[in-house]
Amino acid sequence: MTTPSPMLVDIARQPGVLTAFAARAESFAALGRTVLAPGDGGRLWVTGCGDGLFAAIAASRWAAECGLDWRPIGAMDMVLGADRLRCTDRVIAISMSGNVDRTFEAARAVASAGVPMLALVNGNGGRLGEIAGTKISLDLADIAPFLCGTASYTATLAALMALAAGAAGREPPDLGAAIAAQNAALAASDGAFAGLAVPTGVRLLSASNDIGTAQYGAAKFVELTRIPAWSGELEEFAHSQYWAMPTQDLVVVLAGDAALAAYADESCAALRELGVATLAIDTTSTPVARAARRITLPDMPPALFALAACVPLQILAATLARASGLDPDTRAHLKSDALRFKVSRMLTRRSLLGTGA
């Protein structure tokens, strides 16, 4: 009997994870009401690195619809700018382990500024949980060691939406449409990428809050493959990456908004003239008809699109990893390059040097 791929198991459990989170969402919203409601003129800053920051960007449309001045910010920028926080501001610091050096340093700077802060973690929260005034955990068990973030990403995104709703004095979002769309994404992606040639690179494009999803997708390619990957804004791509892009690259467009889908459709038609392969992740009401390949999800509020659009990106990255001879379940190609792995920890997680984590 073939052992199921832990990576694919983690991807496939996301509808169940969202369903379980929906039962806890009110507890997150309640904490948002008590800890995160900004004062008059206050802003809600959301800081972290990697997946945490991408989720904060992806949640920004929902937060704006709640009426919040929602400010995603990288942990390094928060370290450098914490002295400009206002007493009416509030901060969410995100780290699943709680031990990412820069996020801990950002939280320490926020604490020094005396601004109320909540840590969003998974587990005991590590050093971040110790320094933040309040913490809340996703309580999501890992499928296997060293998997890249899949279910943990969508759980983080859903948690941020619930926290934002509470901070704005609203109810958490109804996740039913997103859960249905995740199930549809799993079904639509099954076998959809069979026969896709391994591209020379992948360009992931969108706009507005879905830039966060594009950034997340690019990160999955970096973690799982040796294929160069970039994210960008749909219009700015034409003025920057496009000019150095090999025509053997794959361009992925994300369109959960009708106006954006119209622009994405024009872009895919133009890229066809150059012979560039395109893939659209769209919905039934936001079609990108002229993309060469499409993963079309059920209609849903645009603010929830990010919860489902990430699923095909996860499957695509895992599929291309295997097609190029790598194992997405172990990511051995990262740790096997011992010097590069060590330097990566020197760059981002100096405190974990020598631990193998």
Side-chain angles (χ1 to χ4, degrees):
M1 179 180 291
T2 303
T3 303
S5 157
M7 178 73 180
L8 295 183
V9 170
D10 197 24
I11 294 171
R13 70 170 173 156
Q14 290 175 105
V17 166
L18 272 195
T19 300
F21 178 80
R24 300 180 59 207
E26 175 52 34
S27 64
F28 283 74
L31 203 54
R33 294 183 195 104
T34 57
V35 178
L36 297 175
D40 290 343
R43 304 156 296 185
L44 183 47
W45 297 88
V46 192
T47 190
C49 301
D51 286 2
L53 179 59
F54 306 148
I57 297 168
S60 61
R61 181 165 183 155
W62 166 259
E65 290 178 1
C66 288
L68 293 171
D69 188 350
W70 179 268
R71 302 289 184 98
I73 183 172
M76 176 67 79
D77 284 337
M78 180 57 83
V79 170
L80 299 176
D83 59 342
R84 295 189 291 275
L85 292 171
R86 304 168 185 166
C87 63
T88 53
D89 288 347
R90 302 293 182 265
V91 175
I92 302 172
I94 308 168
S95 170
M96 294 298 94
S97 69
N99 292 318
V100 176
D101 289 358
R102 217 68 66 226
T103 304
F104 170 73
E105 291 166 7
R108 187 169 57 191
V110 171
S112 295
V115 173
M117 171 175 49
L118 178 144
L120 178 58
V121 299
N122 191 29
N124 66 18
R127 295 185 297 155
L128 177 60
E130 292 174 2
I131 198 170
T134 309
K135 68 179 178 181
I136 190 166
S137 170
L138 298 178
D139 291 338
L140 184 65
D142 290 334
I143 293 290
F146 207 53
L147 284 180
C148 75
T150 50
S152 62
Y153 174 76
T154 51
T156 298
L157 180 51
L160 288 175
M161 290 179 174
L163 290 168
R170 292 180 48 166
E171 297 301 310
D174 181 347
L175 297 176
I179 293 167
Q182 283 191 341
N183 279 311
L186 289 166
S189 300
D190 185 23
F193 306 125
L196 180 65
V198 176
T200 49
V202 181
R203 317 277 171 158
L204 297 107
L205 308 176
S206 194
S208 185
N209 64 300
D210 286 322
I211 285 287
T213 307
Q215 292 173 326
Y216 168 79
K220 297 313 104 181
F221 278 94
V222 170
E223 292 174 336
L224 295 181
T225 78
R226 293 290 193 192
I227 302 169
W230 299 263
S231 61
E233 196 262 1
L234 185 67
E235 174 68 20
E236 287 307 311
F237 161 75
H239 304 290
S240 55
Q241 295 182 27
Y242 165 78
W243 293 100
M245 178 188 69
T247 57
Q248 295 79 27
D249 276 9
L250 171 66
V251 174
V252 181
V253 295
L254 303 158
D257 174 272
L260 173 59
Y263 289 115
D265 188 58
E266 291 177 0
S267 294
C268 288
L271 289 168
R272 181 184 295 174
E273 296 288 322
L274 199 62
V276 173
T278 55
L279 165 68
I281 300 172
D282 57 10
T283 75
T284 53
S285 61
T286 63
V288 183
R290 288 181 284 181
R293 293 175 183 247
R294 295 170 62 194
I295 299 293
T296 300
L297 306 178
D299 192 23
M300 73 193 92
L304 300 184
F305 177 71
L307 286 165
C310 58
V311 174
L313 297 179
Q314 296 160 354
I315 295 173
L316 177 61
T319 300
L320 290 179
R322 290 191 180 90
S324 53
L326 301 177
D327 182 1
D329 294 322
T330 65
R331 296 194 287 164
H333 64 288
L334 300 183
K335 285 192 174 183
S336 62
D337 189 338
L339 179 58
R340 189 176 290 269
F341 189 78
K342 174 185 173 182
V343 172
S344 79
R345 290 300 176 253
M346 293 172 68
L347 290 169
T348 61
R349 302 191 187 193
R350 194 174 289 271
S351 61
L352 296 182
L353 276 171
T355 68

